[in-house]
Amino acid sequence: MHPLGEKYLRKHTLPTIFCPGCGDGTVLSAFLRAVDELDIGEQLALVGGIGCSGWIPVYVNADTLHVLHGRAIPFATGLKVTRPERKVVVFTGDGDCLAIGGNHFIHACRRNIGMTVVMLNNAIYGMTGGQVAPTSPYQARTQTSPYGNPEMPFDACRLAIASGATYVARWTSGHPRQLTRAFKEAILHPGFAFIEVLTQCPTQTGRYMKGGLDAPALLKDIRAGVVGKERAASMSPEELAGKVQIGTLHREVRLEFTEALRQLTEGDGK
Amino acid sequence: MRIIQGNEACVEGAIVAGCRFFAGYPITPASEIAELMSRRLPQVGGVFMQMEDELASVCAVIGASWGGVKACTASSGPGISLMQEGVGYAAETETPCVIINVMRGGPATGQPTLPSQQDIMQARFGSHGDYEIIAVAPSSAQEAFDLTVKAFNLAEIYRVPVYVLSDEIVGHTREKVLLDPGVEVIPRKRPPREGYLPYRPGPDGLLPGMPAFNEGYRLLVDGQLHDETGNRVGHDPEASARLVRRLCEKITSRVDELTDVEELFLEDAQAVVVCYGSSARPALEAVYAAREQGIPAGIFRLRVLFPFPARRLAALARRVRALLVPEMNVGKLVLEVERVAGGAQVVSLPKLGGALHTPEEILDAITSVLKEGGR
């Protein structure tokens, strides 16, 4: 086993449930690298939602809550306000975070509560068998959009910024080093940090949406669809059409929620 | 001693019991609980959060409980329905927490401003799957205080979500309440330092203690059926059955120690009113009036509704002629009473629409049941 796995994984929960070629393992290893470089293994409080990516924290040997579909953020909120010193990191999928959990997501952004939410976006419901997601592209064929998806997808990062998140980054599972850097920045960021990771699901997205693409082909497809934020700045609207921007998309410092609570209530009303 | 509403008494009871986190969403007739919590919790170093909805509220409460803090939420019918998935999660992960339901009439948005006792079976069975909870049912503002403290204590002892089934009458009636700061409070049980497994029960079938997150235990808390380490075993029928059986039996096997009833005039009673919550108030009036007239009536008032004290009531039923069950619903607890009544006649006294029974209605029922086919 890789030394990082040796150091940080909960051995008796292995092997993982991830399919061969899944991007979740890349995200897990990038996360462990960030944890190791920051040396915060003892301070972690991890929360996983329901869906393949919600399993990532189950394998990490830290305090872990594996919760209900869509509710990872409110569980994490209760944990964070009672343990403000903890590094709370939520792992969630695009359906978990944006469909059933959409309301919690925008309100956590609004509160600017100090946690990191990592949303793995494979544009489909993977664990339940390949149904349409709020991130599936227009016209995408899935198990519940056999004539093509009639809906428009969310841009999770724009939603997060508009809702008040103070750190927003987007990368792909083809950017493990950048992802590690983003994890470190997000964990140290004093406020609500959101990282979207575009990732490959050969089992569902590859099969139903992409005409049978395997993992390497899917990853290539994902990378072909993105452009770095800096490079995008010098591109024309025509060149940018259909491209998704990656990089650190937003960063500001604004009063964090548990700090605001402390300031407002300390010494008050006693 | 203060003159306060039942809703306020719940808040003071929670704070005395050690509650330091509340998450909720406003709803009539429970809103005063959130309002007062928002004022009181910061004064004792606690945190109040008004969440975006009830689903978030109960989940934040569970998160806070694993943060090492006693926590509760409060709502009414529609909001309680939204919380049910979280209640099941708390039962499954053995997370102590308290849920106060100030009952109003339903279904749906129903009757926001009037009382009911329509949610008692929802408290017991509202979430999916097999599990057991504890529910207490105050009849007065004083009991709103006393039983809220008790609810927090039971949650800690049994590691289970505990309901306080209040209602609009108890919640909004102002009465004298003794806010006893010296009442017994059960602290969170600490885990052993050595050889600790989070889900390995002790010889008493209860978990050995509950560390908070960030204390070095590296807990795995999972909503899936799990083994003693917390890791999932849903694929293993035997291990899964073992957990579900223990979750149920840790409550059902302790009915005797959990039974909390007020019994009056039972020595020679022939007609016994089995009651709880607000409808116990006119029931008590009716029984006093009956006794003044020499009618042998008695009271069996449940302060703990679930687990239901089946054996105790069955023993009583063997020596009386009739059991009367006034409830502000179509007749719900009466189903439990019928199950254990043996030869005693069971009379359901449902009251719908949001009005409380009058003492006369219950007295009439007592006299007519004792007249019929006398012994």
Side-chain angles (χ1 to χ4, degrees):
Chain A
M1 188 181 280
H2 189 281
L4 274 178
E6 202 59 59
K7 190 167 172 188
Y8 290 109
L9 292 186
R10 221 189 282 273
K11 309 293 181 306
H12 71 281
T13 61
L14 301 175
T16 72
I17 58 154
F18 307 141
C19 303
C22 173
D24 289 9
T26 312
V27 178
L28 172 59
S29 64
F31 174 67
L32 293 183
R33 199 174 297 281
V35 167
D36 197 53
E37 289 175 15
L38 292 175
D39 192 21
I40 50 156
E42 293 301 321
Q43 299 163 53
L44 287 174
L46 305 180
V47 184
I50 296 300
C52 308
S53 54
W55 280 95
I56 288 175
V58 171
Y59 303 122
V60 181
N61 194 17
D63 286 328
T64 302
L65 274 174
H66 186 214
V67 299
L68 297 165
H69 191 37
R71 316 293 166 219
I73 290 174
F75 275 91
T77 299
L79 255 181
K80 179 67 183 180
V81 298
T82 52
R83 297 262 153 179
E85 75 286 0
R86 286 243 105 171
K87 305 292 187 195
V88 176
V89 184
V90 173
F91 288 86
T92 174
D94 44 304
D96 194 60
C97 184
L98 298 177
I100 185 169
N103 198 31
H104 309 311
F105 175 61
I106 59 175
H107 285 278
C109 293
R110 174 177 70 87
R111 290 186 185 109
N112 195 33
I113 184 163
M115 62 175 69
T116 299
V117 172
V118 184
M119 187 191 86
L120 287 86
N121 180 358
N122 55 17
I124 205 163
Y125 281 76
M127 187 164 270
T128 48
Q131 298 85 8
V132 73
T135 46
S136 298
Y138 176 61
Q139 293 184 331
R141 287 182 193 273
T142 71
Q143 290 294 73
T144 48
S145 58
Y147 307 109
N149 179 20
E151 303 179 10
M152 289 296 166
F154 262 130
D155 181 328
C157 290
R158 285 175 63 187
L159 179 63
I161 295 166
S163 303
T166 49
Y167 177 94
V168 177
R170 182 192 281 130
W171 295 101
T172 81
S173 49
H175 295 83
R177 288 181 189 283
Q178 291 87 341
L179 207 47
T180 294
R181 196 182 67 224
F183 278 129
K184 284 162 51 178
E185 288 174 356
I187 289 167
L188 296 178
H189 175 75
F192 187 84
F194 178 64
I195 300 175
E196 178 181 11
V197 188
L198 305 178
T199 182
Q200 75 277 15
C201 172
T203 306
Q204 311 295 2
T205 320
R207 182 161 45 156
Y208 297 122
M209 210 186 287
K210 299 285 183 182
L213 291 191
D214 63 7
L218 272 174
L219 203 49
K220 208 171 152 192
D221 186 61
I222 290 170
R223 290 198 61 155
V226 299
V227 58
K229 186 189 166 194
E230 285 73 21
R231 207 173 127 233
S234 60
M235 289 166 71
S236 70
E238 292 75 34
E239 289 172 310
L240 276 174
K243 296 273 187 197
V244 174
Q245 294 193 27
I246 56 171
T248 305
L249 303 179
H250 181 72
R251 206 169 188 176
E252 64 174 305
V253 173
R254 181 159 63 78
L255 184 59
E256 191 269 331
F257 178 74
T258 58
E259 176 60 20
L261 263 183
R262 196 185 63 74
Q263 286 184 13
L264 284 172
T265 56
E266 202 163 72
D268 222 39
K270 286 202 175 165
Chain B
M1 187 76 78
R2 281 166 55 193
I3 297 178
I4 55 173
Q5 286 186 345
N7 279 346
E8 297 176 72
C10 280
V11 172
E12 297 304 328
I15 286 173
V16 167
C19 176
R20 292 296 178 268
F21 181 81
F22 179 96
Y25 188 86
I27 184 169
T28 303
S31 292
E32 295 84 3
I33 296 178
E35 290 170 6
L36 194 56
M37 283 287 191
S38 74
R39 241 169 287 162
R40 292 285 283 120
L41 277 172
Q43 296 171 348
V44 292
V47 173
F48 165 86
M49 279 194 79
Q50 183 164 316
M51 300 301 289
E52 53 272 20
D53 57 30
E54 289 86 351
L55 301 92
S57 302
V58 71
C59 294
V61 161
I62 298 166
S65 193
W66 284 103
V69 170
K70 290 188 185 180
C72 83
T73 184
S75 190
S76 191
I80 296 288
S81 294
L82 292 178
M83 291 182 187
Q84 288 299 339
E85 191 190 16
V87 174
Y89 183 92
E92 206 274 351
T93 55
E94 299 180 74
T95 307
C97 57
V98 171
I99 302 133
I100 303 168
N101 181 356
V102 187
M103 289 184 282
R104 65 191 227 184
T109 21
Q111 290 178 292
T113 59
L114 291 176
S116 89
Q117 295 172 323
Q118 295 169 12
D119 302 344
I120 62 168
M121 289 304 175
Q122 190 202 30
R124 188 174 183 187
F125 297 125
S127 196
H128 53 282
D130 285 329
Y131 67 101
E132 293 283 338
I133 51 88
I134 298 173
V136 300
S139 288
S140 63
Q142 181 67 56
E143 279 191 342
F145 176 85
D146 299 340
L147 291 180
T148 300
V149 175
K150 180 170 180 133
F152 274 92
N153 286 344
L154 295 176
E156 294 300 327
I157 296 170
Y158 300 104
R159 296 274 302 268
V160 68
V162 179
Y163 275 95
V164 178
L165 293 174
S166 177
D167 65 60
E168 191 276 334
I169 293 174
V170 169
H172 284 161
T173 302
R174 289 183 182 276
E175 298 181 292
K176 278 195 287 190
V177 179
L178 175 64
L179 303 171
D180 180 5
V183 72
E184 189 196 9
V185 169
I186 308 281
R188 182 152 296 182
K189 193 169 156 192
R190 302 298 309 156
R193 263 288 152 196
E194 300 296 318
Y196 172 69
L197 281 175
Y199 288 101
R200 175 187 286 171
D204 57 359
L206 299 175
L207 297 184
M210 179 171 168
F213 271 36
N214 205 20
E215 292 181 342
Y217 286 87
R218 296 170 190 255
L219 295 166
L220 174 57
V221 180
D222 198 324
Q224 297 213 1
L225 294 180
H226 46 256
D227 61 17
E228 295 177 338
T229 69
N231 195 33
R232 65 186 166 132
V233 291
H235 54 278
D236 178 344
E238 239 175 76
S240 298
R242 190 160 55 239
L243 174 62
V244 172
R245 194 175 302 118
R246 183 173 66 72
L247 292 178
C248 293
E249 284 180 355
K250 74 175 177 178
I251 305 301
T252 57
S253 69
R254 292 186 166 78
V255 177
D256 292 341
E257 65 187 80
L258 283 164
T259 293
D260 183 352
V261 290
E262 181 186 36
E263 298 171 309
L264 289 173
F265 310 119
L266 292 188
E267 300 75 20
D268 61 340
Q270 286 301 302
V272 172
V273 186
V274 180
C275 54
Y276 59 93
S278 288
S279 52
R281 299 172 70 125
L284 198 59
E285 283 295 309
V287 167
Y288 279 128
R291 282 284 163 179
E292 275 176 21
Q293 297 172 31
I295 300 167
I299 284 277
F300 187 90
R301 181 171 73 88
L302 294 98
R303 285 157 45 97
V304 169
L305 215 51
F306 302 119
F308 185 72
R311 268 199 303 269
R312 177 111 153 226
L313 188 60
L316 175 67
R318 279 196 289 276
R319 55 189 172 86
V320 304
R321 275 172 53 195
L323 299 169
L324 299 97
V325 191
E327 301 179 83
M328 284 189 285
N329 56 41
V330 291
K332 285 195 154 98
L333 197 74
V334 70
L335 302 172
E336 283 290 271
V337 176
E338 282 170 349
R339 187 168 66 81
V340 303
Q345 186 183 350
V346 176
V347 181
S348 178
L349 299 173
K351 185 91 176 183
L352 295 172
L356 191 58
H357 301 74
T358 64
E360 294 73 28
E361 285 170 343
I362 298 171
L363 180 59
D364 285 350
I366 292 170
T367 43
S368 58
V369 76
L370 289 182
K371 266 182 204 153
E372 283 165 18
R375 179 154 68 172

